[in-house]
Amino acid sequence: MHIGKWPRSTVATMCELMIHSMIAVIGSGSWATAIVKILQENSPQKVNWWARSKEVADGITSTGRNPRHLSELQLDPNRLWVSDNLKDVVEASDELLLAVPSAYIDRVLSQLPPEALQGHRIISAIKGTLPDCCMSISQYVEQTFKVEPNDICVISGPSHAEEVAHCMPTYLTAASRNEAFAREVADRLRSHYIITSVSTDIDGVERCGLAKNIYAIAAGIGSGLGYGDNLNAVLTAGAIREIDSLIEKGIPYPERNILDNCYLGDLIVTCWSRHSRNRALGEAVAHGEKPEEVFARTGSIAEGYYSVRNMHRIAKSLNCTDRIPIAETVYRILYKDADPRQEMQHLIETVL
């Protein structure tokens, strides 16, 4: 069930309930940095923060700026404890907000013993699945670390970190099986420029987060080949139909509205924005670069690269690859060395 926006009158009460709950942000990329900004703006409470690099942790501690991501953003170092020791950060916190790329989350959390997350509430700001399997992040923390389902929440956009850094209007959805927890998370993030909604469709929100990056790669391929906005509009329309079809096939949910922000909105911003790493990957592939070369050049991961392989596996297991021809086109280009121009031309002539 998508529950929607809720009144500001509840904010003070919810803040009082959560003020004693120490939160840690796990990850130090752009989105993690933007989330720390939001948390500091909304509460005087100190935020614990894990950064993989000691250099980054020390830089933030001394200057209040992340030296590698959104470095123009000034944070309050007096209300931060930043460490590269994951175990210490987890033990000092009640809630963990995960903001590590899905490709790395197992590598990061596998440093911890299986019981380390028990008793913690987990908020995932990660899009996609684990790279070598089809588990969502909520499934991963539930099955691997035995976190209670009611203690898991996910955050969805549309939300580019670069726009959050500049206090531009941003819409976030907090989704959890536990409606009360979703509302608490939405409250913690809500501000004069962050508009929040809540949902109980956590599986659908995560599956859409997996899919939308794939279609942004398709949009980037089209752009890189010289096609214009007309084609991108048709690709985006086809993408939401494919996402809706696949989600309904695998995770039916009667009250889901695929036109809500966390589904259609998140898809559109990823397919069209200049900030989208997945769109940029598609453009580079259209120009002849290999994904590994792009990742080495940019120093960042486009999660759609791994997501498309897992979406192919999911659709194959459901016997419905024919429902997602755009995603299957991206899969063939990235994993079967298919020619981007021929594949896109086939889509134009036979599918779109």
Side-chain angles (χ1 to χ4, degrees), residues 26-88:
I26 308 300
S28 56
S30 296
W31 189 217
T33 305
I35 289 171
V36 171
K37 170 187 184 289
I38 296 169
L39 294 173
Q40 284 205 324
E41 289 171 342
N42 286 359
S43 170
Q45 189 175 8
K46 180 173 285 190
V47 176
N48 297 335
W49 194 357
W50 176 80
R52 181 175 60 87
S53 163
K54 188 176 187 302
E55 175 190 353
V56 170
D58 291 345
I60 297 171
T61 299
S62 61
T63 69
R65 296 179 185 269
N66 186 331
R68 295 185 183 174
H69 300 278
L70 300 183
S71 56
E72 75 281 6
L73 191 60
Q74 180 65 59
L75 303 167
D76 181 358
N78 296 318
R79 293 190 291 126
L80 289 173
W81 174 52
V82 192
S83 173
D84 64 334
N85 187 314
L86 180 62
K87 182 174 180 289
D88 286 352

Side-chain angles (χ1 to χ4, degrees), residues 9-25:
S9 60
T10 60
V11 170
T13 301
M14 287 294 187
C15 282
E16 289 176 4
L17 290 173
M18 298 186 70
I19 195 67
H20 300 296
S21 183
M22 182 62 71
I23 191 168
V25 175

Side-chain angles (χ1 to χ4, degrees), residues 226-264:
Y227 299 115
D229 290 345
N230 292 341
L231 178 65
N232 197 13
V234 175
L235 275 173
T236 307
I240 197 62
R241 290 194 298 269
E242 290 190 13
I243 291 172
D244 189 31
S245 178
L246 185 63
I247 294 179
E248 283 301 311
K249 174 75 172 179
I251 316 169
Y253 200 87
E255 297 178 65
R256 179 184 300 127
N257 182 353
I258 201 67
L259 302 182
D260 282 340
N261 295 332
C262 57
Y263 312 108
L264 178 59

Side-chain angles (χ1 to χ4, degrees), residues 95-118:
E95 296 179 327
L96 306 178
L97 196 155
L98 307 178
V100 177
S102 60
Y104 302 138
I105 187 62
D106 183 54
R107 190 184 312 173
V108 169
L109 293 186
S110 64
Q111 303 174 43
L112 301 170
E115 67 275 8
L117 301 190
Q118 292 176 21

Side-chain angles (χ1 to χ4, degrees), residues 23-282:
I23 191 168
V25 175
I26 308 300
S28 56
S30 296
W31 189 217
T33 305
I35 289 171
V36 171
K37 170 187 184 289
I38 296 169
L39 294 173
Q40 284 205 324
E41 289 171 342
N42 286 359
S43 170
Q45 189 175 8
K46 180 173 285 190
V47 176
N48 297 335
W49 194 357
W50 176 80
R52 181 175 60 87
S53 163
K54 188 176 187 302
E55 175 190 353
V56 170
D58 291 345
I60 297 171
T61 299
S62 61
T63 69
R65 296 179 185 269
N66 186 331
R68 295 185 183 174
H69 300 278
L70 300 183
S71 56
E72 75 281 6
L73 191 60
Q74 180 65 59
L75 303 167
D76 181 358
N78 296 318
R79 293 190 291 126
L80 289 173
W81 174 52
V82 192
S83 173
D84 64 334
N85 187 314
L86 180 62
K87 182 174 180 289
D88 286 352
V89 171
V90 170
E91 289 180 349
S93 309
D94 305 301
E95 296 179 327
L96 306 178
L97 196 155
L98 307 178
V100 177
S102 60
Y104 302 138
I105 187 62
D106 183 54
R107 190 184 312 173
V108 169
L109 293 186
S110 64
Q111 303 174 43
L112 301 170
E115 67 275 8
L117 301 190
Q118 292 176 21
H120 291 76
R121 300 203 297 182
I122 307 298
I123 306 164
S124 171
I126 301 172
K127 302 294 177 64
T129 58
L130 271 68
D132 296 320
C133 72
C134 298
M135 271 200 298
S136 67
I137 304 305
S138 67
Q139 290 171 333
Y140 169 65
V141 297
E142 180 182 344
Q143 295 178 23
T144 305
F145 294 95
K146 310 306 179 187
V147 176
E148 291 294 325
N150 281 345
D151 288 335
I152 302 171
C153 182
V154 303
I155 303 169
S156 179
S159 52
H160 282 307
E162 294 83 358
E163 295 189 2
V164 171
H166 291 93
C167 299
M168 300 175 74
T170 299
Y171 288 74
L172 297 177
T173 298
S176 175
R177 291 178 179 82
N178 180 351
E179 179 187 336
F181 185 26
R183 289 192 179 279
E184 290 180 20
V185 172
D187 176 73
R188 178 163 275 188
L189 299 174
R190 189 170 186 258
S191 72
H192 67 281
Y193 66 95
I194 302 291
I195 301 93
T196 60
S197 299
V198 299
S199 171
T200 51
D201 182 24
I202 184 172
D203 294 325
V205 169
E206 284 191 295
R207 185 64 60 85
C208 188
L210 158 76
K212 56 104 177 183
N213 289 328
I214 298 165
Y215 296 102
I217 295 175
I221 292 171
S223 175
L225 292 173
Y227 299 115
D229 290 345
N230 292 341
L231 178 65
N232 197 13
V234 175
L235 275 173
T236 307
I240 197 62
R241 290 194 298 269
E242 290 190 13
I243 291 172
D244 189 31
S245 178
L246 185 63
I247 294 179
E248 283 301 311
K249 174 75 172 179
I251 316 169
Y253 200 87
E255 297 178 65
R256 179 184 300 127
N257 182 353
I258 201 67
L259 302 182
D260 282 340
N261 295 332
C262 57
Y263 312 108
L264 178 59
D266 208 13
L267 170 69
I268 290 173
V269 76
T270 310
C271 287
W272 287 78
S273 175
R274 69 185 188 281
H275 299 306
S276 172
R277 289 191 299 270
N278 291 281
R279 182 185 168 99
L281 171 62

